[in-house]
Amino acid sequence: MDDGPRAGGGLRSRQGEAPATAVPLWARTVTTGPEAPQQLHRGLTLIAAISLFIGTRDLWTRAMTSRPPAAGIISVCYAGILVAGVLALTTRTRRALTRVDAGVLLLAVVLVLCGYWLNHAGTDEGVLTAQAASQILHGHPVYGQPWPWLFDSSSVGITKTMSGGADYTYGYPPLTALLAAPVHAVLHSTAAATLVTTGALLAGAVLLWWLLPAPWRSGATAVCLGFGFLPGYAYSGYPAVLALALLIPVVVRWPDTGAGGRLGLPGAAQALCLGAACATQQLAWFLTPFLLIGLYAVRRGDLGPGPRPALGVLARYTGIAALTWAAINAYFATQDFSTWLHGLLLPLTQKAILHGQGLMGISYYFTAGSRHLDYYSYGSQLLLFGLLAATLLFVRRLGPAITVLPWLSFYLATRSQDGYFLMMTPLWLAAAASVPASAFASAWQPRIPHMSGHRAKAVLAVALVTPAVVCATVAAASAPPLRMNVTPSFAEGAGHRDITGLAVRVVNITGTRLTPHFASRLGQGASDWWTASGGPASLAPHASATYDVKPPGGVRRVPGGSHPRFYLIAVTGTPMTITSARIPIS
């Protein structure tokens, strides 16, 4: 006779049977109907709703000061976020949860529009794009034209160069300015550029939401409009935001492009978007060769043993993209080819001052400098080529990561700020949701003699990136080119001290003539250039001189705090070097 469960909830096994084990609640499989949403889908919807909280309090605070109606709208959005959180965990069907996803997307769009209402003045990129749009409207040249008056406002940043100057010209492909031109005819302000980029971000977010499988859609809301970072770039007028929006249809399910050997209307549209993205911002250039390599490998794997069918698809795809790019650039190229080309290549050739969170921080923040900063750039280029080669050789493994790989090279560059990484992160999600590893199971890979084992392939992969690592090591380990001894002069104020000048003894310890330019650094950013006098413009090899260095405006307030990390930096453009010396202020 079966006694049944004992008091206390224990389970007894029948005679001859293994004892039953109680399964904890968290490990049990919930039995649901065929229409019940996946728990992953619920989780992504919830994460998207949570991501809308980030930065919203600051937005509401600013709105209460200047735009109370916007603050009221934001307060309603708070209620919407809370309701969305409840519904994400309680809806019983997939269709209902998809409606919740749409509601979260709508909340995100409203919050972004409120943010634009409060902040649409733009930063340096938006100001330059708006000026380029004005030039187009009036039939004036866009490239090679310095506009220094645009940077008179302290709220507009400026890109300083290692040669002691700054860049006042437009250095991006023209599509954003072309789209902003008709808007500028109505608004007559920087808002013309920021409206285009903000609109592009919203359109890109909605498009990505629509193209992704239902369980992934709220992820698109989170990475495009949540977390508070991409809307900020849109409000600033970054052309890269428009490039991102154009790349979204290119990346979603990209291995299907040209399937069966026919490009078709969808493939042609994707190629057109790729060409337009390349005519918008240079970041798209870095993704393009990875996509082309992956597309060739996938098509050659399913169209036959020979390369001709795959090359045919690739040629048509590349041709449409190239013609689109050329059509957008044609007017500007025919105006003045050399200045147009210089403008497009400017971000790669301008030798902008160090900035970012990458490996260059070793020489900028943690050591006294480096006489071989150029090797960071060499390492960045070599890493890009090494990753391209690795993608070609190991596309079956690396294919799913093609939307992430290009940005690794920026970590070694002298300009390695986080914007280069995070502005294209929606493409990472697009690939994760629509490009499974199985899409590369039959992709073509070149045969490498004597490289059949996993260990041999790992050795080859390491060898492809070793030159980049060596270059970065040379840059980081190099000693600074100058030896500097800094003596400040102070003026006492009411409760504070000001630096009125620095006497800087400089010794060139290299065999190269150097032309130093001086600035101060407190934390991560460099100041405007300080004025140097009393010494030669360029310092001969192994020579020494004493410079009288004055801060911008003649006075620099001594930073507060118990131990401020306040430095004088000396940089040179050719070769690229940096030397840092702490300014004694105690």
Side-chain angles (χ1 to χ4, degrees), residues 146-170:
W147 304 316
W149 64 87
L150 297 177
F151 302 90
D152 291 341
S153 171
S154 60
S155 62
V156 179
I158 189 170
T159 300
K160 295 180 285 293
T161 61
M162 298 288 283
S163 59
D167 204 334
Y168 303 105
T169 63
Y170 191 67

Side-chain angles (χ1 to χ4, degrees), residues 42 45 80-92 96-97 100:
R42 294 186 189 275
T45 304
I81 295 170
L82 296 172
V83 171
V86 173
L87 294 177
L89 298 175
T90 58
T91 51
R92 296 188 175 183
L97 189 55
V100 177

Side-chain angles (χ1 to χ4, degrees), residues 23 201 243 521:
V23 179
L201 177 64
R521 178 176 68 80

Side-chain angles (χ1 to χ4, degrees), residues 331-397:
Y331 169 74
F332 305 94
T334 54
Q335 273 189 323
D336 189 330
F337 182 84
S338 62
T339 57
W340 162 78
L341 184 61
H342 176 75
L344 262 60
L345 297 178
L346 188 63
L348 308 177
T349 61
Q350 68 187 165
K351 294 189 175 181
I353 196 167
L354 304 181
H355 186 262
Q357 297 78 31
L359 209 59
M360 43 66 58
I362 296 174
S363 302
Y364 196 23
Y365 306 124
F366 300 111
T367 69
S370 172
R371 67 185 64 182
H372 292 309
L373 290 179
D374 290 299
Y375 278 80
Y376 284 121
S377 298
Y378 302 153
S380 179
Q381 296 167 25
L382 288 171
L383 181 58
L384 181 67
F385 294 139
L387 291 172
L388 283 169
T391 302
L392 176 65
L393 295 174
F394 310 115
V395 70
R396 294 175 188 171
R397 172 60 65 88

Side-chain angles (χ1 to χ4, degrees), residues 522 556-565 585:
L522 180 65
R556 172 65 164 87
R557 180 71 56 85
V558 172
S562 56
H563 299 287
R565 303 182 69 82
I585 56 177

Side-chain angles (χ1 to χ4, degrees), residues 130 202 207 214 253 309 346 384 453 546 581:
L202 293 175
L207 179 62
R253 290 185 288 275
L346 188 63
L384 181 67
T546 299

Side-chain angles (χ1 to χ4, degrees), residues 141-508:
V142 170
Y143 294 101
Q145 308 300 310
W147 304 316
W149 64 87
L150 297 177
F151 302 90
D152 291 341
S153 171
S154 60
S155 62
V156 179
I158 189 170
T159 300
K160 295 180 285 293
T161 61
M162 298 288 283
S163 59
D167 204 334
Y168 303 105
T169 63
Y170 191 67
Y172 303 98
L175 183 56
T176 310
L178 283 169
L179 295 177
V183 184
H184 195 279
V186 178
L187 296 180
H188 307 296
S189 71
T190 308
T194 58
L195 182 61
V196 168
T197 52
T198 303
L201 177 64
L202 293 175
V206 172
L207 179 62
L208 182 59
W209 189 95
W210 181 261
L211 291 176
L212 291 187
W216 289 85
R217 285 176 171 172
S218 277
T221 303
V223 298
C224 290
L225 306 180
F227 300 124
F229 51 79
L230 280 185
Y233 285 103
Y235 304 152
S236 298
Y238 275 63
V241 176
L242 177 58
L244 165 66
L246 290 166
L247 287 172
I248 285 171
V250 176
V251 166
V252 174
R253 290 185 288 275
W254 67 263
D256 294 341
T257 304
R262 297 182 69 253
L263 200 57
L265 184 60
Q270 289 175 320
L272 189 148
C273 288
L274 179 61
C278 291
T280 302
Q281 214 269 354
Q282 290 87 345
L283 285 178
W285 299 359
F286 293 85
L287 177 63
T288 299
F290 287 89
L291 280 173
L292 296 181
I293 288 173
L295 184 59
Y296 172 76
V298 172
R299 292 287 73 84
R300 183 168 176 179
D302 63 17
L303 292 180
R308 183 171 295 179
L311 285 175
V313 171
L314 191 67
R316 293 192 295 274
Y317 183 82
T318 307
I320 294 173
L323 286 174
T324 303
W325 179 87
I328 294 171
N329 282 276
Y331 169 74
F332 305 94
T334 54
Q335 273 189 323
D336 189 330
F337 182 84
S338 62
T339 57
W340 162 78
L341 184 61
H342 176 75
L344 262 60
L345 297 178
L346 188 63
L348 308 177
T349 61
Q350 68 187 165
K351 294 189 175 181
I353 196 167
L354 304 181
H355 186 262
Q357 297 78 31
L359 209 59
M360 43 66 58
I362 296 174
S363 302
Y364 196 23
Y365 306 124
F366 300 111
T367 69
S370 172
R371 67 185 64 182
H372 292 309
L373 290 179
D374 290 299
Y375 278 80
Y376 284 121
S377 298
Y378 302 153
S380 179
Q381 296 167 25
L382 288 171
L383 181 58
L384 181 67
F385 294 139
L387 291 172
L388 283 169
T391 302
L392 176 65
L393 295 174
F394 310 115
V395 70
R396 294 175 188 171
R397 172 60 65 88
L398 297 179
I402 272 177
T403 56
V404 184
L405 288 172
W407 322 120
L408 293 176
S409 62
F410 285 94
Y411 193 76
L412 272 62
T414 53
R415 297 282 287 187
S416 58
Q417 57 261 44
D418 55 1
Y420 294 143
F421 313 129
L422 62 86
M423 276 197 285
M424 295 295 162
T425 48
L427 303 181
W428 305 8
L429 178 75
S434 65
V435 184
S438 59
F440 303 91
S442 60
W444 173 82
Q445 289 186 164
R447 292 183 179 179
I448 309 171
H450 312 296
M451 285 285 176
S452 57
H454 292 293
R455 181 173 297 179
K457 292 179 179 178
V459 170
L460 177 59
V462 170
L464 290 174
V465 300
T466 296
V469 174
V470 171
C471 286
T473 302
V474 169
S478 295
L482 305 176
R483 187 165 57 244
M484 297 197 303
N485 185 17
V486 181
T487 304
S489 299
F490 298 102
E492 300 295 332
H496 62 81
R497 287 196 305 165
D498 296 324
I499 295 176
T500 58
L502 303 172
V504 185
R505 180 69 177 174
V506 181
V507 180
N508 181 358

